[in-house]
Amino acid sequence: MLKEKAKQKIDSMRDVVVKLIKEHSDAELSSVSLKQLMGGMRGVKCLPCFTSNVDPQQGITFHRYNIPQLIEKLPKAPGGEQPLPEGIFYLLITGELPTEEDVAEITEEWKKRGELPDYLTQTLDALPKDQHPMTQFSTGILTLQHDSVFTKRYREGISKYDYWDPMYEDVMNLLAKLPRIAAYIYRRSYKDGNHIGPDPDLDWGGNFAHMMGVENEEYKELMRLYLFLHCDHETGNVSAHTTHVVGSALSDAYYSLSAGINGLAGPLHGLANQEVLRWIMGVKEKLGGGVPTREQLTEFLWDTLNKGQVIPGYGHAVLRVTDPRYTAQRNFALKNLPEDETFKIVSMLFELVPDILKEHGKAKNPWPNVDAHSGCLQVYYGVVEYDFYTVLFGVSRAIGVLTQLIWSRAMGLPIERPKSLYIKDLEDMFA
Ligand code: CMX
């Protein structure tokens, strides 16, 4: 059972953390310059992460496994080539690669817990259909707070050493429901509320594709890859950090994830995936369709920069190379849609943008991030409503940030409260 395995891992990690604190409490790990204080804390090492690490040159590793290794090693759907997202959840929780049985157990567990209560669908139905899907998604998650096991057990008087247990239950309930909430939002906003129930024979990602109404085996595979790729990116990014900070006040998983999703909805973070497609569609519209020439694309790119806007999908706060999550999606496109028009534009951008950003001279990382590629794959399979794309990101990101929440409660991490510096005191300090 995953929960029993998690308990063993938590117990041994508690020993590791206690030893580290006992023996190295005063070790200096990072200092903070004024530039960092005013610059979004870039590079300040001040957060533990129990699941993953982003290296500027190598990209993300999950418990030290990189993306190509996991695409190869994680269990697949029958006849499939892409990793099942249930497998990365198992890895993040336990630090070990799952067997096919481990993954099947999670699939079954999430099926059992996946039903949406009426009060949730009624709440969603009360929102305007053209409310941004991310607002609907965050509202849906927050609404489910009604059923938080953690909050109930806290009221009953639980020991702090057991916090992780009801948190685990909330996380399992939430993850089980997220694809259904997301598909519900997609169908109500774009498909006349013509909802599709889950298929009991499908896995978590395959079922999400099915409930969205895209009946295509290749799209199911894409969904599995997508939900695997976007799940976790250590603790410092906005969605993970927000979830962590809110959770540190012992707000439950629903409050915490809803807040993290609100952060993901920003155009400098997850919403960049919708912005990439919106940018490409804008170019196509101005040119009256077709694939633009390199010269035309160059002109549009400079025009965007000269207007003081960012080129969405490029740059990163930590990475200094092409995001391996971009490369994984590019490999999928090269195999399945090499002649697609939007993919050709995305590829042309890959050739042009880095040099333009270097010439522009501001971005520290001129290379594409995860969001530069995802939209064109969705369009190819008929999911053209780009306002919805960040919800897909959110369903996946929940795997990582919610796992981190379990770890935070299990390790007894305290309420987060860094010290700020009043601006006039700073001024006086250097007067
Ligand atoms: N286009 C134009 N300018 C860019 C840029 C881009 N893609 N990326 C960075 N810059 C600019 C910054 O706006 C900043 O300008 P100012 O000095 O005028 O403020 C300067 O370059 C330095 O920024 P940086 O240190 O390289 O980047 P940050 O760590 O501050 O920000 C990020 C990182 C991702 C927010 C930024 O690269 C960006 O805005 N990219 C476009 C949006 C995007 O794709 N976001 C998704 C990131 C992945 C994710 O979270 O999903």
Side-chain angles (χ1 to χ4, degrees):
M1 277 274 292
L2 177 60
K3 194 168 180 185
E4 280 151 26
K5 183 100 184 175
K7 185 174 178 339
Q8 285 167 21
K9 295 290 169 181
I10 285 165
D11 287 345
S12 63
M13 186 57 77
R14 277 178 174 163
D15 293 343
V16 172
V17 170
V18 166
K19 186 166 183 286
L20 274 173
I21 294 173
K22 200 169 153 210
E23 294 177 7
H24 306 284
S25 242
D26 295 324
E28 195 73 29
L29 300 176
S30 213
S31 58
V32 185
S33 66
L34 183 64
K35 188 173 150 195
Q36 288 170 310
L37 182 90
M38 294 306 238
M41 291 295 167
R42 217 62 89 247
V44 179
K45 293 175 186 139
C46 57
L47 293 163
C49 186
F50 294 88
T51 55
S52 61
N53 181 55
V54 181
D55 179 90
Q57 303 301 324
Q58 307 298 326
I60 181 78
T61 48
F62 309 96
H63 287 295
R64 302 227 160 103
Y65 291 101
N66 66 26
I67 285 174
Q69 285 168 333
L70 289 177
I71 290 180
E72 188 203 321
K73 288 178 193 292
L74 288 178
K76 323 275 186 291
E81 289 180 358
Q82 303 302 337
L84 289 166
E86 290 91 324
I88 189 77
F89 176 65
Y90 184 97
L91 174 69
L92 293 180
I93 294 261
T94 66
E96 288 178 16
L97 289 174
T99 61
E100 305 240 335
E101 292 71 42
D102 294 327
V103 160
E105 182 200 311
I106 296 170
T107 305
E108 283 315 305
E109 194 62 35
W110 286 351
K111 270 180 206 166
K112 275 190 241 154
R113 297 172 185 241
E115 194 83 12
L116 300 185
D118 287 346
Y119 72 81
L120 169 68
T121 49
Q122 283 159 10
T123 302
L124 290 174
D125 286 340
L127 297 172
K129 274 195 185 140
D130 64 351
Q131 181 96 52
H132 193 280
M134 282 299 272
T135 317
Q136 297 190 49
F137 192 48
S138 176
T139 305
I141 292 164
L142 194 57
T143 304
L144 280 174
Q145 194 277 333
H146 176 267
D147 295 333
S148 169
V149 181
F150 180 88
T151 295
K152 184 167 175 283
R153 297 266 300 277
Y154 190 86
R155 273 202 190 182
E156 288 164 2
I158 188 176
S159 157
K160 62 173 161 182
Y161 299 104
D162 297 329
Y163 284 165
W164 76 270
D165 182 302
M167 188 59 84
Y168 175 94
E169 296 302 327
D170 279 345
V171 166
M172 291 298 274
N173 290 335
L174 247 173
L175 287 173
K177 290 177 172 53
L178 290 181
R180 293 207 200 179
I181 299 175
Y184 192 91
I185 293 166
Y186 183 71
R187 302 290 303 178
R188 79 175 288 269
S189 289
Y190 307 115
K191 306 288 170 189
D192 295 327
N194 219 334
H195 297 293
I196 301 169
D199 177 340
D201 295 328
L202 280 171
D203 53 282
W204 191 70
N207 230 329
F208 186 10
H210 163 73
M211 290 185 289
M212 279 176 63
V214 188
E215 284 308 342
N216 180 324
E217 290 310 308
E218 243 172 60
Y219 185 71
K220 289 193 181 89
E221 280 286 272
L222 172 65
M223 189 64 99
R224 291 168 189 131
L225 175 69
Y226 187 103
L227 296 175
F228 154 72
L229 284 177
H230 290 73
C231 68
D232 199 38
H233 222 226
E234 64 172 47
T235 321
N237 66 77
V238 170
S239 51
H241 192 204
T242 307
T243 307
H244 172 73
V245 179
V246 175
S248 83
L250 298 188
S251 299
D252 60 44
Y254 301 89
Y255 284 125
S256 306
L257 180 65
S258 176
I261 290 297
N262 295 344
L264 193 71
L268 295 189
H269 191 18
L271 201 83
N273 63 3
Q274 106 170 22
E275 292 303 284
V276 169
L277 234 288
R278 203 162 66 86
W279 192 93
I280 292 175
M281 292 306 172
V283 168
K284 284 177 99 168
E285 204 179 297
K286 278 179 209 144
L287 294 175
V291 179
T293 62
R294 290 168 69 89
E295 291 67 34
Q296 285 169 325
L297 217 42
T298 302
E299 207 179 310
F300 279 114
L301 288 166
W302 275 113
D303 188 42
T304 300
L305 290 171
N306 291 336
K307 281 196 271 189
Q309 294 165 9
V310 295
I311 296 180
Y314 281 76
H316 199 271
V318 180
L319 290 172
R320 293 295 175 259
V321 289
T322 296
D323 191 332
R325 299 171 300 174
Y326 175 94
T327 309
Q329 294 179 87
R330 181 170 166 77
N331 291 341
F332 185 94
L334 285 169
K335 182 171 177 218
N336 296 295
L337 44 133
E339 297 307 323
D340 177 62
E341 201 169 81
T342 320
F343 175 52
K344 283 190 178 154
I345 300 176
V346 165
S347 298
M348 218 189 274
L349 287 169
F350 189 25
E351 288 168 27
L352 295 172
V353 176
D355 283 343
I356 291 177
L357 280 179
K358 281 182 207 162
E359 194 181 329
H360 185 242
K362 279 194 168 187
K364 292 186 191 68
N365 176 42
W367 303 105
N369 60 57
V370 66
D371 299 316
H373 212 300
S374 48
C376 89
L377 302 175
Q378 296 297 327
V379 170
Y380 180 76
Y381 293 101
V383 182
V384 294
E385 303 86 356
Y386 49 71
D387 276 5
F388 185 72
Y389 294 170
T390 315
V391 175
L392 296 170
F393 195 157
V395 173
S396 174
R397 180 49 54 99
I399 296 179
V401 301
L402 290 176
T403 307
Q404 291 195 23
L405 212 50
I406 296 174
W407 276 110
S408 298
R409 296 293 71 78
M411 294 302 121
L413 297 186
I415 187 164
E416 197 175 296
R417 205 322 185 172
K419 179 75 184 83
S420 51
L421 286 162
Y422 175 51
I423 194 69
K424 293 209 165 147
D425 289 342
L426 259 176
E427 197 186 5
D428 290 349
M429 205 186 282
F430 298 108

